[in-house]
Every structure is written in structure tokens, then in C-alpha cells.
Amino acid sequence: MNLLWISPFVALAGCVVVVFGSNPHSHYGLLLAVVPLLSAAVHNVGTTTLVGGACVAFFALAHYRVPAGDTAVWLIKLGIVAAAAVIGVLISRARVSERQLTESRAVALTLQRGLLPHDVKATNAVEVHHRYLPADSEAGVGGDWFDVIQLSGARVALVVGDVAGHGVHAAATMGRLRTAVHTLADLDLAPDELLARLDDLVIRLADDETDRIVAASCLYVVYDPVSRRCTIARAGHPAPAIVRPDGRADFPRLPDNPPLGLGGTGFECAELTLPEGTLLALYTDGLLALRAGGPEAAQEAMARVLERTGLPLASLCDGVLAALPPSGAEDRSRDDIALLLARTRVVDPRWVASWELPATAEAPSRARTLTARQLDTWHLSEALFPTELVVSELVTNAVRYGGGPVRLRLIYDHALICEVSDTGSTSPHLRHARLMDEGGRGLYLVGCLTDRWGTRYGSGGKTIWAERSLAGVTGAAREPSSNGISRDAVRS
């Protein structure tokens, strides 16, 4: 048996022997006041209550040995022993509560760390780095999250969000929202539409959680390294910091959309054109709460650090956190801090080719000819056969089911990307043709010949895209450079 577990009972027995064996005029009875405190350090509330009650009872039983004139002194001593028993119970209860809180926070922190991305890698669109600091509070960790999602057409989505509240519930809700953002991003929804769908989800979660308030904020950014266009939408979230290559930092004015979960309102987005090397800083409001002067002072301090654009992103992350010291311990414990820095890259125009074709029967043949010529220019002749088939099928579908003109675009990036756009809005569906069917195998072939494919919609129609890895292709890009393509991508 654990020696610490039995120590309070051994001490109780020893004190009882001392009390009943010592001189009635002595003060050895006060030793019983130590026993409940010792028990509180080892046992739970029930056992400490039992030990404390036994101490009071044994001291009360010793009353018959007290001379008549010492009754008042005995009552004072009895009060001290009783008070020690009560204090011991309170200490034990506080210990249990603290242990439960610590375990709950550990579970929430483990859950949160498991749901957050473990390794956010740079893409050919942006160089990224991040910092995440969980809240040091009795309420537990919060529901902050961040993400970097690769989209079609070499684009990338940068996401930062914050679920209201702390603890396991906030961490679990964060995981559900992060998964939903990934699913909606795969549909290539515009940022404002994605937030609208996410708002519907938060409302449904709130309906299910009748005993809790479910609310969240989110910032969703889509950057296109080909056009250098950056589309930003937010839902009750602070605007990102944008630092131009010359060091000018600002916080752009964005449509002030409400937080997620309110419903009944639409979302708006803003579009910016960013030069290569622009720095984007996405963060949660826990970072703004660290400055005694308020959010404006925090943003100014952040901007001063980010204006040193020549530093590595890791150093900038550390500098931002170091420049925003807490004004007090209570301020540091308010919320989690998530910081995501992204430095934009640009795909060199040499690695992008686009053509506009009339929606005629000759369009697929013309598309194949242009594709073969372009792949020969890029020294990717080994990828010609599958790429020709993909281009032919997508252009044929655009002519047959969409509307002209048809636009074909090839992008030589981390993979060979083929995009075919038309003015139609009919969504293509993959189906399995029967043996005697004359058609219906086009998208099946596209799926077999590429790593992934999909559809995205815009104001002028739709775009069907497909990506094929260049692994094993001689001369293909393997490591990203500053412009998104390796320096040895094209053989001289």
C-alpha cells in the first residue's frame, strides 16, 4: 500500500495516543489539527472529511480528562481542530477541482493540437510560416485555427478562424469548422459564398447545442499567383496586415461582415492585386488583446515589425510576438493566439499559355495542336499523349455542352495544369458508360489520366480543370523557386 496514502491514518493514530497519554494540561491535543491538512494533501474530499471528523471526535472524547477550570481553553482548542478539519476539506476540494481542470485542459489541448495542421508547407503560390500559442487560462484552450489549402489553378487559400469559448467544446467545434472549410474549398467556392455556407453550418450547430452558444469568426483569403489577384472575405474577424515589397504596411478596409452564426445577412468580399513578395499577416484577436493601448496600438506594433520585409518569416513571427508583450497576466490568459504569415510568389508568364477557341467542331483538333506545340516548348514531350487526351475531352465537352468561346489554359507549376472554360453553367458528372454506349467515357478518361480534377464557377461561366503530376518526366519542375518554378525546370 502507498505510504503516502496511509500516512494521515498513522498520524491520526499517533496523535490520539499522544492526546490520551499526555498530561491533561498540555497542548498536545492541537496536533490533531495537522492531520486533516495532511489528509487534504493526499486524499479526496470524502476521505478528508472522514479524517477531519475523526480528529474532532477524538478531541471531543478527551473532554473528560480536562479539569473543570480549563473548559474554556478546551473549547478554543476544539474550535481550532474543527477549523483545521473544515480547511482540510476545502483544500481537498480545491485540489480535486484543479486536477479536473488540468485534465480537461490537457484533453482540449491534445484535441486542438490533433486538429490543427502539423506541418504547413510552402506552396508555389506562397511561402508560409506560423505560430500558435494556446491560452494560459483556467477556462482552457480556445478554438483558434489556421490553414493553408491548395486550390485549383495553382491558387492557394489562407484561412484563420476563432470559435468563441474555451475548453473541449470549443476545440471540437473548431475541428468541425476546419473540416467544413476544407470540404467547401474543394468545391472552389468564392470566399463570400464559402463564408455563407459556413454560416449556415454554425447556425445548425447552434440549434443542436441548445445549452451552449456557438459563434465563430473567420478570415478566408484566396491568392492567384498567375493573375496576382487576392480575394478576401471576413466574418467578424480582424482584417489582415498587408506589407508591400517596399515595406509599406496597411490594414485594408474590408466589408464588415457579421460573425458566423447570426444568419440573415449576406457576405461581401474585396479584391486586391498584389505585387510579388507581398507579405500577408493573418491572425486571431488574441494577438490584439496583448496591448494595453487596444487593437490599434497592437496593429501599429505589428506593422513596425512586419515592415522589415528582408527578414525570414520565422524571424518575423517571433518579432511580432515579442513586440506585443502582455500588459498583465490576466491579459495573457484571455485567448489563444494564431499567427499565419504568407509571402506571395508569382508564376512566371513563360509557364502560362492560354488561347481562345471558337465553339466549333474544329476546336478539339486545334486545342491538341496548340498543346503539343506548347509542351514541346516546355520540353515536356513525354507528357504529351495523356495531356492531349485530357485537352481533347475537356474541349469537346465544352463545345458540346457549354457555350463559346472556349478558353484553354495550360499552367506549368508544381504539376501540369489544364483548364478549359466556357460560358455554360451545366455541371459535368462522371458516369460509367455501358459496353455498347457510344459516349460517356470522357470524364472517366480524364480521371484516369490525371491526379485530380474538378469544376469551379465564375460570373462568366465555368472552368473544368485537371492536374497531372510531372514526377518522372524529364526536365520537370521539382523544387519551387521565387517565381514558383524551379530554376532547372526548362533545359537550355
Side-chain angles (χ1 to χ4, degrees):
M1 185 179 292
N2 193 330
L3 184 61
L4 286 177
W5 194 90
I6 64 173
S7 59
F9 299 100
V10 174
L12 176 61
C15 289
V16 170
V17 171
V18 171
V19 169
F20 284 92
S22 62
N23 189 324
H25 294 281
S26 68
H27 302 294
Y28 290 116
L30 292 177
L31 291 175
L32 287 169
V34 179
V35 178
L37 302 180
L38 179 61
S39 178
V42 180
H43 294 299
N44 56 25
V45 177
T47 304
T48 302
T49 302
L50 178 64
V51 171
C55 292
V56 175
F58 281 123
F59 194 88
L61 289 175
H63 179 259
Y64 74 92
R65 303 179 68 244
V66 177
D70 293 342
T71 301
V73 175
W74 174 84
L75 288 175
I76 294 174
K77 294 179 181 179
L78 178 63
I80 294 175
V81 174
V86 173
I87 293 173
V89 172
L90 294 177
I91 292 176
S92 180
R93 181 173 297 174
R95 257 186 67 251
V96 172
S97 299
E98 182 182 4
R99 184 172 63 251
Q100 292 175 343
L101 183 63
T102 302
E103 292 175 353
S104 175
R105 186 177 187 276
V107 169
L109 186 59
T110 302
L111 176 62
Q112 188 180 51
R113 285 175 175 171
L115 293 173
L116 288 173
H118 297 283
D119 186 17
V120 179
K121 297 181 179 179
T123 71
N124 285 12
V126 291
E127 175 193 1
V128 293
H129 205 82
H130 65 89
R131 285 287 186 274
Y132 183 83
L133 298 178
D136 183 16
S137 69
E138 296 182 355
V141 297
D144 294 17
W145 89 91
F146 60 91
D147 229 323
V148 179
I149 306 172
Q150 186 74 50
L151 302 177
S152 65
R155 298 170 304 138
V156 67
L158 308 173
V159 191
V160 168
D162 185 2
V163 176
H166 295 82
V168 176
H169 178 262
T173 303
M174 175 272 289
R176 300 170 77 174
L177 294 185
R178 179 173 178 251
T179 302
V181 169
H182 268 269
T183 303
L184 296 173
D186 283 341
L187 298 176
D188 264 317
L189 299 178
D192 53 344
E193 186 176 353
L194 183 142
L195 291 183
R197 301 283 185 90
L198 202 61
D199 183 54
D200 293 337
L201 173 61
V202 174
I203 292 175
R204 288 197 296 272
L205 292 178
D207 291 339
D208 295 337
E209 302 284 348
T210 55
D211 57 334
R212 295 186 180 95
I213 297 177
V214 181
S217 65
C218 184
L219 176 66
Y220 189 79
V221 178
V222 174
Y223 173 68
D224 186 343
V226 177
S227 65
R228 298 185 292 111
R229 272 202 303 269
C230 182
T231 308
I232 308 174
R234 62 171 176 166
H237 204 87
I242 297 181
V243 185
R244 310 287 173 171
D246 60 3
R248 291 183 296 110
D250 68 322
F251 296 82
R253 287 192 174 184
L254 303 177
D256 194 11
N257 301 314
L260 301 172
L262 297 183
T265 59
F267 292 88
E268 300 179 36
C269 57
E271 280 197 4
L272 305 172
T273 300
L274 304 178
E276 182 178 7
T278 299
L279 183 65
L280 296 170
L282 288 71
Y283 52 91
T284 54
D285 55 5
L287 190 64
L288 302 182
L290 293 183
R291 204 69 172 182
E296 294 78 10
Q299 289 179 333
E300 291 176 3
M302 188 191 314
R304 285 194 296 271
V305 175
L306 297 178
E307 286 172 351
R308 295 179 286 178
T309 55
L311 294 177
L313 294 187
S315 300
L316 290 177
C317 283
D318 294 336
V320 168
L321 297 180
L324 300 172
S327 58
E330 67 280 359
D331 293 331
R332 172 65 186 91
S333 66
R334 288 178 184 173
D335 203 355
D336 294 6
I337 297 174
L339 174 64
L340 177 63
L341 299 185
R343 182 176 283 132
T344 63
R345 293 167 169 163
V346 175
V347 175
D348 194 297
R350 292 178 298 167
W351 316 125
V352 181
S354 61
W355 305 274
E356 192 171 280
L357 307 172
T360 62
E362 292 77 20
S365 175
R366 176 63 176 163
R368 289 193 297 271
T369 301
L370 294 171
T371 299
R373 188 181 304 165
Q374 189 61 52
L375 293 189
D376 183 65
T377 301
W378 288 339
H379 301 284
L380 296 177
S381 299
E382 293 181 24
L384 177 58
F385 177 70
T387 306
E388 273 190 325
L389 283 179
V390 170
V391 167
S392 181
E393 292 297 338
L394 295 185
V395 172
T396 298
N397 282 345
V399 172
R400 182 176 298 176
Y401 303 111
V406 176
R407 187 169 180 266
L408 169 64
R409 184 169 75 160
L410 300 178
I411 303 174
Y412 181 13
D413 194 56
H414 63 285
L416 185 58
I417 303 171
C418 172
E419 296 182 342
V420 175
S421 305
D422 59 63
T423 57
S425 58
T426 304
S427 177
H429 295 283
L430 176 65
R431 68 184 183 92
H432 296 279
R434 291 174 295 184
L435 181 62
M436 301 305 293
D437 288 349
E438 295 183 0
R441 298 177 179 83
L443 291 180
Y444 177 77
L445 287 175
V446 171
C448 291
L449 295 172
T450 60
D451 298 308
R452 62 180 193 140
W453 68 277
T455 307
R456 66 174 182 265
Y457 295 89
S459 57
K462 70 176 183 298
T463 298
I464 306 178
W465 56 268
E467 292 185 6
R468 178 179 172 82
S469 173
L470 295 173
V473 177
T474 305
R478 288 181 174 85
E479 296 295 336
S481 65
S482 60
N483 64 359
I485 295 295
S486 66
R487 293 181 176 88
D488 61 346
V490 176
R491 296 173 296 177
S492 58

